[in-house]
Amino acid sequence: MAIMWDVIIVGGGPAGLSAALVLSRCRRKVLVFDDGRPRNALSLRVHNFLTREGTPPDRLLRIARREVELRGVELRSLRVTSAVRRPIGFEVRAGSRRARTRKLLIATGVRDNQPAIDGLARFVGRGIYYCAYCDGDTVADRPLAALGHGLGGAELALALTTWSDVVAYCTNGTRKPRGAVCERLARHGVTVHDRCIVRVEGRRHLETLVLRNGARVPCEGLFIQEGDRPQSDLAARLGCSFTRRGAVRTLLGGRTTVPSVFVAGDAGDEARSVVVAAATGVKAAYAINQELREERCALP
């Protein structure tokens, strides 16, 4: 007879593995599927994670996997292709494999949208960044730039003045913000460029943005605000509700609008950070274990 897992976790990043650790300590049978495509694969260091500051992301994951495997968690390097509700729980499919579970935790994260700029991919983690809190300090006191649109992009540029006195706001071909916003940017020393960025240049690290009119903007840290998209459509296919930002709508403990389906990490509407993802995984694990206990110990 096939194993009925207590919990299947889809996604083996900080959120999923943190949940797996807690659930294993609650003596739950836990299976983790992961396809090996983390959002921060090209990042050089993890930041703002107490005791792990500056750790390479792949090393952090190796440590985490070893810890959960020692607790009896099963890890499978497969991409989940579907999850179907059954009379009890769900049937999860990954390649030719199928598994049954009482509870499902989706921790697949997101993938950042990248603008079509020549050379961009080469410098991700080496001058191209997606989170000012994660990487602003790594390029402090150097020329920085925000790439975005409208008021949100302007706010990102102003945020970068925390780390540098030389900040540019690049709208990448869209119109400059309205007069009052431009005045505010100028008041804080932020220059505005509305021409498209055609390419980025540098040796081992980003050095220059080249605009369509030939202008060259010194830049050693380009922070991109182009949004992101889910790594997996699993939550959508299960019928979960989403926020306006495109994140899965979550309730207390990572519960979704679909019973017995939980979300943790960047797939939910939380700050994009490794330590926050890990924390949401822990909170989801608490909620999942509580539901499993209540179902087993239900009063008449």
Side-chain angles (χ1 to χ4, degrees), residues 2 76 99 143 174 234 253 282:
R76 296 182 187 174
T174 60
L234 197 60
V282 170

Side-chain angles (χ1 to χ4, degrees), residues 174-209:
T174 60
R175 288 186 302 176
K176 289 183 178 181
R178 290 182 295 180
V181 176
C182 278
E183 289 173 9
R184 184 179 171 208
L185 290 166
R187 192 161 59 247
H188 293 279
V190 177
T191 58
V192 180
H193 302 279
D194 60 356
R195 300 299 180 95
C196 287
I197 303 171
V198 294
R199 68 179 180 276
V200 293
E201 297 179 345
R203 284 160 287 192
R204 297 186 63 184
H205 192 279
L206 177 67
E207 298 174 5
T208 307
L209 312 179

Side-chain angles (χ1 to χ4, degrees), residues 10-90:
V10 186
L17 294 177
S18 293
L21 179 62
V22 173
L23 289 163
S24 72
R25 292 177 54 81
C26 296
R27 308 182 75 178
R28 302 299 181 184
K29 296 193 295 293
V30 182
L31 170 61
V32 178
F33 285 105
D34 184 68
D35 65 1
R37 299 194 305 168
R39 178 192 183 203
N40 63 355
L42 297 177
S43 297
L44 301 183
R45 300 283 185 270
V46 168
H47 298 292
N48 301 325
F49 198 141
L50 193 63
T51 78
R52 297 296 177 185
E53 174 63 29
T55 302
D58 58 344
R59 184 184 174 200
L60 185 68
L61 288 180
R62 286 197 302 272
I63 294 169
R65 290 180 188 127
R66 184 165 62 249
E67 287 182 353
V68 299
E69 284 182 311
L70 288 172
R71 295 289 319 176
V73 173
E74 184 168 333
L75 304 179
R76 296 182 187 174
S77 298
L78 293 170
R79 180 176 180 80
V80 169
T81 54
S82 69
V84 180
R85 185 176 289 281
R86 296 301 185 203
I88 299 176
F90 302 88

Side-chain angles (χ1 to χ4, degrees), residues 17-265:
L17 294 177
S18 293
L21 179 62
V22 173
L23 289 163
S24 72
R25 292 177 54 81
C26 296
R27 308 182 75 178
R28 302 299 181 184
K29 296 193 295 293
V30 182
L31 170 61
V32 178
F33 285 105
D34 184 68
D35 65 1
R37 299 194 305 168
R39 178 192 183 203
N40 63 355
L42 297 177
S43 297
L44 301 183
R45 300 283 185 270
V46 168
H47 298 292
N48 301 325
F49 198 141
L50 193 63
T51 78
R52 297 296 177 185
E53 174 63 29
T55 302
D58 58 344
R59 184 184 174 200
L60 185 68
L61 288 180
R62 286 197 302 272
I63 294 169
R65 290 180 188 127
R66 184 165 62 249
E67 287 182 353
V68 299
E69 284 182 311
L70 288 172
R71 295 289 319 176
V73 173
E74 184 168 333
L75 304 179
R76 296 182 187 174
S77 298
L78 293 170
R79 180 176 180 80
V80 169
T81 54
S82 69
V84 180
R85 185 176 289 281
R86 296 301 185 203
I88 299 176
F90 302 88
E91 180 179 272
V92 174
R93 300 182 184 183
S96 61
R97 307 285 292 275
R98 300 185 184 190
R100 297 288 299 277
T101 183
R102 298 181 187 280
K103 304 292 178 183
L104 183 64
L105 173 59
I106 300 172
T108 47
V110 296
R111 186 165 296 279
D112 295 296
N113 296 326
Q114 289 192 7
I117 297 173
D118 186 34
L120 195 73
R122 177 186 168 200
F123 294 109
V124 173
R126 295 173 172 81
I128 301 294
Y129 306 111
Y130 293 89
C131 174
Y133 280 106
C134 297
D135 294 294
D137 186 64
T138 65
V139 284
D141 301 318
R142 305 182 198 180
L144 307 180
L147 190 160
H149 310 287
L151 185 59
E155 291 293 346
L156 174 59
L158 290 168
L160 293 180
T161 62
T162 301
W163 293 281
S164 177
D165 294 330
V166 182
V167 176
Y169 173 32
C170 298
T171 67
N172 202 28
T174 60
R175 288 186 302 176
K176 289 183 178 181
R178 290 182 295 180
V181 176
C182 278
E183 289 173 9
R184 184 179 171 208
L185 290 166
R187 192 161 59 247
H188 293 279
V190 177
T191 58
V192 180
H193 302 279
D194 60 356
R195 300 299 180 95
C196 287
I197 303 171
V198 294
R199 68 179 180 276
V200 293
E201 297 179 345
R203 284 160 287 192
R204 297 186 63 184
H205 192 279
L206 177 67
E207 298 174 5
T208 307
L209 312 179
V210 182
L211 307 185
R212 178 161 290 168
N213 63 355
R216 301 173 66 84
V217 180
C219 179
E220 296 184 40
L222 176 63
F223 291 80
I224 298 175
Q225 188 182 72
E226 290 280 356
D228 50 45
R229 60 194 186 280
Q231 288 259 34
S232 168
D233 64 352
L234 197 60
R237 285 190 282 139
L238 284 165
C240 297
S241 295
F242 286 75
T243 68
R244 288 184 178 181
R245 292 179 53 193
V248 180
R249 189 180 302 280
T250 55
L251 310 172
L252 184 65
R255 294 174 175 86
T256 70
T257 53
V258 175
S260 296
V261 177
F262 296 74
V263 161

